[in-house]
Amino acid sequence: MARDERALNDVLEHAASVLTAAGFPKMPARVLMALTVTEQQGMTASELAERLSASPAGISGAVRYLQTIGIIRRVSQTGSRRDRYELPSDWYASMVRQSPVYAVLAGQADAGIAAVDDPDSLATERLRDMAGFYRFLEGRLPELIDEWEQVRASRS
């Protein structure tokens, strides 16, 4: 149990708000953060609903979404009809690893270049830089994640 449960709940809600502002759905963001800050290995849907003061339907949709994108896993409980939802230890790296956002943004920059159709245009120059930057990030992400995993392992 956290020493300051109210402060921990504020962290949960604020981090979920940041994820939501970045385009992540609200209830999945809240469920993700609840699973992140719990002292338990995982939580059942009813525990999540209680922790978040949310409806069972809201929790159901959120865990389905998080499972679909590979961030959480459902674990059957022996002798119980309730499943427990757990986060892999590197859920945040999985989230980045699976994100197509950089490729999509680079592709949109390419589409913008084609729409401008003027190699000397300032818009073309900016779009070319944008595409290059996002392709650079996309190419470096695997290396960065590998480097992070080495740093993380050395801390253990």
Side-chain angles (χ1 to χ4, degrees):
M1 184 106 190
R3 288 186 193 193
D4 189 341
E5 195 64 35
R6 174 179 265 164
L8 187 59
N9 195 57
D10 288 347
V11 167
L12 179 164
E13 294 296 344
H14 182 69
S17 294
V18 170
L19 287 170
T20 301
F24 208 81
K26 183 177 181 176
M27 188 54 72
R30 292 183 73 221
V31 167
L32 175 61
M33 293 315 303
L35 289 169
T36 299
V37 302
T38 186
E39 291 293 331
Q40 304 171 59
Q41 182 65 31
M43 298 174 79
T44 64
S46 62
E47 290 169 336
L48 285 163
E50 182 178 335
R51 172 69 190 251
L52 299 173
S53 299
S55 71
I59 297 299
S60 177
V63 296
R64 186 172 33 258
Y65 175 83
L66 292 168
Q67 284 180 279
T68 299
I69 63 173
I71 294 180
I72 67 171
R73 61 179 170 248
R74 182 174 58 191
V75 179
S76 297
Q77 299 297 299
T78 306
S80 173
R81 293 179 56 182
R82 293 186 176 184
D83 293 325
R84 184 167 292 283
Y85 297 96
E86 298 179 356
L87 287 172
S89 61
D90 65 344
W91 65 266
Y92 42 84
S94 297
M95 199 166 138
V96 170
R97 199 179 278 121
Q98 296 174 26
S99 175
V101 71
Y102 299 125
V104 170
L105 288 169
Q108 287 302 297
D110 291 338
I113 291 168
V116 171
D117 195 26
D118 178 358
D120 298 323
S121 165
L122 287 175
T124 297
E125 182 180 333
R126 288 190 296 266
L127 289 164
R128 194 177 296 122
D129 281 347
M130 178 181 157
F133 175 73
Y134 287 123
R135 285 197 175 91
F136 172 80
L137 284 179
E138 183 182 32
R140 287 293 313 273
L141 273 177
E143 296 171 43
L144 289 172
I145 291 170
D146 289 345
E147 185 179 338
W148 163 246
E149 288 172 350
Q150 291 170 7
V151 168
R152 184 173 175 231
S154 70
R155 295 184 327 173
S156 299

